[in-house]
Amino acid sequence: MRRFRLYNDTDQRLADAWNLYEQSFPSEERRSWHLQQEIMKHESYHFDLILVDEAFVGILLWWEFDTIRYIEHFAISSTQRNSGLGKRCLEAFLAESHQQVLLEVEKPEDSLKQRRIGFYRRIGFYLNNYDYAQPPYQEGGPFVELLLMSYPAALSEADFQVFLTECHPIIHRPYFEKNPG
């Protein structure tokens, strides 16, 4: 298994990756194709394909900041789920850096969402108890109430504030450009 970073929209495997992205995340939790093309140009953003024997099996879309790595979207193809591949991929990602890693999860309102939180907990992520809302990905879209998980330790209040004040304006640039301060 390996990750392959895409820098633009010319790789033929991007169609499979985009299809998985759209199938795996609700519309309010993902970018439009146009915004995705723009954000791929940002040096801190990684659109990584997960490959096994050069075959596409998943995506890991993440940001690298000075003190935080933020996993924005992670999905394994339905044919590869429950094989341990997702766990191996995340463990390899976590072993690459000493930075704190953050990701968002939906509130545990049903068994699928509870299982997803359990998956991340078994890898070593902590479920943090901060009021948190993801800014809209689309103009006029809603803020989405989510929870933050962190690795390798619980998220401090200071790191939570850094994420909100320094990382969010970069991750959600279109929203912050239209709604400064």
Side-chain angles (χ1 to χ4, degrees):
M1 172 191 60
R2 73 179 184 100
R3 291 194 333 264
F4 177 80
R5 183 177 180 183
L6 296 180
Y7 291 91
N8 56 51
D9 61 358
T10 61
D11 192 290
Q12 293 179 346
R13 295 171 288 195
L14 184 57
D16 291 334
W18 190 255
N19 187 41
L20 178 60
Y21 177 73
E22 288 187 315
Q23 290 175 0
S24 300
F25 301 96
S27 62
E28 65 272 7
E29 293 181 30
R30 64 179 194 250
R31 288 186 178 83
S32 68
W33 174 242
H34 170 72
L35 289 176
Q36 185 63 49
Q37 289 173 304
E38 287 299 313
I39 211 73
M40 285 175 74
K41 297 172 187 172
H42 199 288
E43 72 178 56
S44 297
Y45 181 73
H46 298 252
F47 190 116
D48 290 353
L49 303 178
I50 302 166
L51 306 172
V52 172
D53 298 326
E54 297 308 306
F56 170 77
V57 296
I59 56 174
L60 180 61
L61 313 181
W62 62 282
W63 292 84
E64 181 142 33
F65 298 104
D66 290 339
T67 60
I68 295 171
R69 285 178 135 197
Y70 166 62
I71 298 173
E72 188 170 21
H73 295 97
F74 173 61
I76 299 295
S77 68
S78 60
T79 61
Q80 298 292 320
R81 288 186 192 136
N82 300 313
S83 68
L85 181 64
K87 179 182 180 200
R88 288 192 312 273
C89 181
L90 283 179
E91 287 174 340
F93 178 81
L94 296 171
E96 293 172 1
S97 172
H98 296 294
Q99 293 165 286
Q100 186 161 41
V101 177
L102 302 181
L103 57 81
E104 300 163 336
V105 291
E106 295 166 305
K107 293 184 176 188
E109 297 165 341
D110 61 41
S111 62
L112 177 63
K113 294 169 186 167
Q114 291 167 8
R115 284 195 316 267
R116 189 172 294 130
I117 291 169
F119 167 77
Y120 290 119
R121 278 187 162 154
R122 287 188 298 280
I123 293 172
F125 280 87
Y126 289 80
L127 187 62
N128 295 279
N129 191 26
Y130 294 107
D131 289 330
Y132 176 73
Q134 176 193 77
Y137 277 105
Q138 297 95 25
E139 188 171 341
F143 276 77
V144 180
E145 296 290 325
L146 297 170
L147 300 171
L148 282 174
M149 296 189 80
S150 57
Y151 177 93
L155 188 62
S156 71
E157 177 67 31
D159 287 339
F160 177 62
Q161 291 304 318
V162 165
F163 181 62
L164 294 180
T165 60
E166 295 179 23
C167 302
H168 264 199
I170 297 168
I171 297 165
H172 299 282
R173 187 192 58 174
Y175 171 79
F176 284 92
E177 285 175 348
K178 289 182 172 52
N179 302 283

